[in-house]
């Protein structure tokens, strides 16, 4: 179950306005909410890595490793690739955030290799890739600050006889969608001025697990304190976030 964006926004406003400390607009809230969601999302991977090193509680609901993986599982998916014949590479799905497994014809896992191995792997008949044992190289080819392909990551596959997009799929972690508190403004018949009215039809909810609602609100409050230039809000919210993190990892 996702965290309701309207619940978070109204809670944040209630806390800020309780002592007339300030106000953040929907546009400001959307930016802060998106940033906070990404921070919590990225922390899942570091937290999981940490929990993999320690013994886990033998309990159905208190196993931290399993609980973190459940939070990540929301973003696990499988997608198709597209093939660029001129460049000789496959493009992964556009919403890919972390690559998992590259799959050939829905039945064979490709082995990932580094650039030096990819260059030399054909030199020996023993290591030469085949359709039974294919390999791939995953790297960003085009770098810079401009151009249509800047920042793209490409999947190079050997043997090169594998060159059909339908043959290669990818399991991956997708990036969370940007959070949006959609609204209309009352004002005559144009809906362009006046108070903000929540519009669920144009909103995008938080995608992270609903167990994160408290941390989401606290982190947004910390950023909101910077926006409205209130150091007391920043300090109080930051301390609460830190206490929450210490408790969850101790």
């Amino acid at each position: 179950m996702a965290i309701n964006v309207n619940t978070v926004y109204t809670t944040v406003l209630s806390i800020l306005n309780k002592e007339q400390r300030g106000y953040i607009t929907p546009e400001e809230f959307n930016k802060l909410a998106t940033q906070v969601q990404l921070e919590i999302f990225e922390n899942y991977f570091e937290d999981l890595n940490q929990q993999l090193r320690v013994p886990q509680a033998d309990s159905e609901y208190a196993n931290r490793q399993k609980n973190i993986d459940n939070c990540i599982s929301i973003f696990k998916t499988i997608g198709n690739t597209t093939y660029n014949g001129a460049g000789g590479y496959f493009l992964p799905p556009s919403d890919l955030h972390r690559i998992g497994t590259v799959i050939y014809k829905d039945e064979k896992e490709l082995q990932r290799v580094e650039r030096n191995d990819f260059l030399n792997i054909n030199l020996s008949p023993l290591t030469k890739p085949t359709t039974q044992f294919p390999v791939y190289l995953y790297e960003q080819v085009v770098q810079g600050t401009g151009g249509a392909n800047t920042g793209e990551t490409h999947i190079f596959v050997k043997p090169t006889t594998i060159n059909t997009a339908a043959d290669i799929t990818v399991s991956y972690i997708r990036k969370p969608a940007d959070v949006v508190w959609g609204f209309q403004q009352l004002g005559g018949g144009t809906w362009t001025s006046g108070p903000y009215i929540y519009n669920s039809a144009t909103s995008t909810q938080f995608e992270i697990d609903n167990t994160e609602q408290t941390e989401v609100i606290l982190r947004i409050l910390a950023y909101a304190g910077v926006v409205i230039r209130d150091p007391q809000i920043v300090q109080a919210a930051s301390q609460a976030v830190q206490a929450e993190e210490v408790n969850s990892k101790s």
Side-chain angles (χ1 to χ4, degrees):
M1 182 178 178
I3 302 172
N4 184 275
V5 66
N6 189 47
T7 299
V8 173
Y9 187 37
T10 54
T11 301
V12 169
L13 290 182
S14 296
I15 295 172
L16 291 178
N17 292 334
K18 184 176 180 180
E19 298 179 11
Q20 298 298 312
R21 291 187 178 275
Y23 180 81
I24 57 172
T25 66
E27 290 84 357
E28 291 171 334
F29 171 81
N30 290 341
K31 293 177 182 177
L32 299 183
T34 297
Q35 175 62 26
V36 165
Q37 177 168 248
L38 284 175
E39 288 177 1
I40 295 175
F41 172 70
E42 285 297 338
N43 284 341
Y44 287 154
F45 303 99
E46 295 302 322
D47 292 344
L48 181 59
N49 184 43
Q50 184 181 42
Q51 292 302 321
L52 288 171
R53 307 174 196 173
V54 299
Q56 298 298 308
D58 187 16
S59 171
E60 186 174 4
Y61 301 110
N63 186 304
R64 290 179 176 177
Q65 180 181 323
K66 184 177 72 173
N67 290 341
I68 295 171
D69 187 64
N70 286 342
C71 292
I72 296 174
S73 67
I74 301 169
F75 304 97
K76 294 179 181 179
T77 187
I78 295 178
N80 298 320
T81 61
T82 55
Y83 184 71
N84 184 305
Y89 57 79
F90 292 85
L91 278 173
S94 59
D95 61 345
L96 180 145
H97 185 67
R98 294 185 182 228
I99 194 167
T101 303
V102 178
I103 306 164
Y104 175 54
K105 289 191 173 180
D106 294 328
E107 58 183 29
K108 294 183 178 68
E109 177 182 351
L110 279 71
Q111 179 184 350
R112 182 170 177 172
V113 298
E114 299 300 325
R115 168 61 69 176
N116 60 325
D117 294 325
F118 194 74
L119 293 172
N120 300 321
I121 202 166
N122 280 334
L123 296 179
S124 170
L126 295 176
T127 60
K128 187 174 182 178
T130 66
T131 54
Q132 293 300 312
F133 300 99
V135 302
Y136 76 98
L137 171 70
Y138 181 69
E139 65 180 17
Q140 179 177 312
V141 176
V142 183
Q143 299 182 359
T145 57
N149 297 325
T150 298
E152 279 187 353
T153 46
H154 299 164
I155 301 172
F156 296 89
V157 174
K158 284 186 178 180
T160 54
T161 52
I162 301 176
N163 54 18
T164 304
D167 289 342
I168 298 294
T169 53
V170 179
S171 67
Y172 64 99
I173 303 291
R174 65 175 178 82
K175 181 182 177 182
D178 290 350
V179 179
V180 177
W181 187 83
F183 64 91
Q184 293 175 310
Q185 284 184 275
L186 293 175
T190 60
W191 295 76
T192 57
S193 62
Y196 297 114
I197 305 299
Y198 175 63
N199 186 346
S200 61
T202 59
S203 296
T204 302
Q205 307 298 327
F206 288 88
E207 292 192 276
I208 54 178
D209 193 81
N210 61 355
T211 59
E212 306 287 0
Q213 181 167 318
T214 299
E215 185 168 357
V216 165
I217 292 171
L218 290 173
R219 286 179 178 267
I220 292 175
L221 281 171
Y223 280 120
V226 176
V227 173
I228 64 176
R229 300 180 182 181
D230 190 326
Q232 289 183 327
I233 289 289
V234 176
Q235 183 178 15
S238 298
Q239 289 176 346
V241 169
Q242 186 176 16
E244 182 83 11
E245 290 183 348
V246 170
N247 180 63
S248 65
K249 296 179 181 179
S250 60

